[in-house]
């Protein structure tokens, strides 16, 4: 496996691959790789001749500088995991390499980019689109792999590829959430949890799972209120938002009959120095 830090060096390597008609898969990451990322890399390796894993902690998608500073940085371990999973290349550029003159482009794809995470983290999805579009232009992958844990992000990226004219050349591959045995969704942020915080964090998914059965005999508002109350009753957990939305538009629904595709999306603060955890559950579709 080769590690590249310069765009031109990676592009020269990929040019040679394409001369041999090899397909290219891209797994964009911010580093601190875990089993969830490993599942994306392995799938890309299975479905493409060449796999590129990008490791870039993108500053433009953080509206909280403290959150950016706390985010784990583990490049050496990331490269080891990528190689173990069969990746051919790791692309680990500097901020200056990706944004030599900053990035003044502004992306907005309402309603997908303006609700939930978009509303709570102003500028977040603009930053996501800045880095993902840059990676797409640099790598020109045939397929790009994203985990369903960041479910809203996938909806935004689908709008992005259409906007930048790559809808017919890049396939966005959605990969299932990888969870620990107790149900907690794998996340780089989980490493920031203390032992006590890690012990209560699975209560989030536990409440979401239980709400699916509850929703069979109760309305949307009742289901939402029950999930929020149940999680907030656990010491160390506080719901930032829980919205039950149409799976395509991401707009809130008032009844189960309103859409054939309905998803519950949640963000919870965990711990005294809060770690922000996201998850979701499908109710219909």
């Amino acid at each position: 496996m080769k590690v590249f830090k310069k765009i031109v060096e990676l592009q020269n390597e990929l040019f040679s691959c394409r001369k041999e008609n090899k397909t290219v898969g891209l797994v964009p990451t911010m580093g601190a790789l875990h089993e969830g990322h490993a599942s994306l890399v392995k799938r890309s390796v299975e479905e493409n001749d060449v796999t590129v894993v990008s490791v870039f902690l993108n500053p433009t998608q953080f509206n909280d500088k403290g959150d950016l500073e706390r985010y784990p940085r583990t490049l050496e371990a990331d490269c080891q995991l990528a190689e173990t999973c069969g990746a051919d290349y790791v692309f680990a550029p500097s901020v200056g390499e990706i944004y030599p003159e900053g990035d003044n482009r502004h992306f907005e794809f309402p309603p997908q980019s303006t609700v939930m995470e978009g509303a709570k983290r102003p500028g977040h999805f603009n930053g996501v689109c800045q880095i993902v579009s840059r990676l797409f232009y640099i790598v020109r992958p045939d397929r790009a792999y994203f985990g369903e844990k960041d479910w809203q992000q996938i909806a935004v990226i689908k709008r992005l590829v259409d906007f930048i004219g790559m809808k017919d050349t890049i396939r966005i591959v959605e990969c299932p959430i990888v969870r620990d045995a107790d149900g907690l969704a794998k996340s780089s942020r989980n490493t920031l949890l203390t032992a006590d915080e890690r012990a209560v964090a699975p209560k989030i998914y536990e409440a979401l799972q239980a709400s699916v059965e509850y929703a069979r005999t109760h309305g949307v508002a009742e289901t939402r209120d029950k999930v929020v109350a149940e999680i907030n009753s656990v010491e160390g957990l506080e719901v930032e938002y829980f919205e039950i939305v149409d799976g395509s538009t991401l707009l809130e629904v008032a009844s189960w009959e309103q859409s054939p595709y309905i998803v519950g999306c949640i963000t919870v603060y965990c711990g005294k120095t809060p770690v922000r955890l996201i998850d979701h559950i499908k109710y219909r579709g």
Side-chain angles (χ1 to χ4, degrees):
M1 188 189 75
K2 296 181 181 179
V3 179
F4 294 102
K5 295 191 176 182
K6 296 295 183 181
I7 292 171
V8 66
E9 293 174 357
L10 174 65
Q11 288 182 320
N12 286 341
E13 184 79 12
L14 293 177
F15 178 75
S16 298
C17 294
R18 290 198 180 85
K19 283 180 65 177
E20 299 175 10
N21 294 316
K22 292 181 178 179
T23 56
V24 178
L26 171 65
V27 181
T29 84
M30 292 207 299
L33 304 190
H34 50 69
E35 291 176 25
H37 296 109
S39 70
L40 307 184
V41 178
K42 290 175 182 177
R43 181 163 176 183
S44 177
V45 170
E46 290 174 359
E47 297 178 351
N48 302 279
D49 299 313
V50 171
T51 290
V52 179
V53 178
S54 65
V55 177
F56 180 71
L57 186 52
N58 179 39
T60 70
Q61 68 190 69
F62 286 82
N63 61 329
D64 180 346
K65 290 184 179 179
D67 192 21
L68 174 60
E69 290 170 359
R70 293 178 65 204
Y71 202 90
R73 293 159 170 82
T74 58
L75 179 58
E76 185 176 345
D78 295 342
C79 290
Q80 290 175 354
L81 184 146
E83 184 170 25
T84 298
C85 293
D88 299 277
Y89 310 116
V90 165
F91 180 46
S94 66
V95 173
E97 183 73 7
I98 290 293
Y99 302 127
E101 298 177 357
D103 195 330
N104 296 319
R105 296 173 303 160
H106 184 74
F107 298 95
E108 197 72 88
F109 302 114
Q112 287 87 349
S113 67
T114 56
V115 298
M116 296 185 292
E117 292 295 285
K120 297 296 184 181
R121 302 174 67 186
H124 170 67
F125 283 124
N126 180 53
V128 168
C129 290
Q130 286 177 343
I131 181 57
V132 170
S133 61
R134 285 286 287 144
L135 290 171
F136 284 176
Y137 286 131
I138 292 166
V139 177
R140 300 282 175 171
D142 297 281
R143 300 176 183 88
Y145 296 79
F146 296 89
E148 290 181 346
K149 183 180 75 68
D150 295 306
W151 182 78
Q152 184 178 2
Q153 176 176 278
I154 293 175
V156 173
I157 288 170
K158 287 180 176 179
R159 293 284 304 275
L160 171 69
V161 293
D162 192 19
F163 178 77
I164 63 178
M166 291 185 168
K167 185 177 181 179
D168 296 328
T169 59
I170 299 177
R171 179 186 166 201
I172 303 302
V173 182
E174 304 173 40
C175 301
I177 294 177
V178 176
R179 299 183 182 275
D180 283 325
D182 56 12
L184 181 64
K186 293 280 188 180
S187 171
S188 301
R189 296 178 188 272
N190 292 354
T191 61
L192 302 175
L193 298 171
T194 66
D196 288 343
E197 292 163 358
R198 177 62 186 78
V200 300
K203 295 293 183 182
I204 300 168
Y205 187 57
E206 186 177 308
L208 291 176
Q209 278 189 305
S211 74
V212 174
E213 184 62 32
Y214 182 85
R216 299 183 192 279
T217 54
H218 296 80
V220 170
E222 292 174 296
T223 302
R224 181 177 58 246
D225 291 346
K226 179 176 174 56
V227 169
V228 172
E230 192 169 318
I231 293 174
N232 283 345
S233 70
V234 179
E235 185 176 355
L237 297 181
E238 181 181 357
V239 175
E240 180 182 24
Y241 68 80
F242 177 52
E243 296 186 15
I244 299 177
V245 303
D246 179 286
S248 299
T249 67
L250 276 59
L251 295 175
E252 287 188 90
V253 298
S255 72
W256 301 119
E257 293 73 34
Q258 193 170 328
S259 171
Y261 180 21
I262 296 178
V263 180
C265 302
I266 197 164
T267 295
V268 179
Y269 288 110
C270 181
K272 293 181 180 179
T273 305
V275 178
R276 198 168 180 272
L277 303 175
I278 64 173
D279 209 334
H280 69 272
I281 196 82
K282 186 183 292 186
Y283 291 105
R284 298 191 69 186

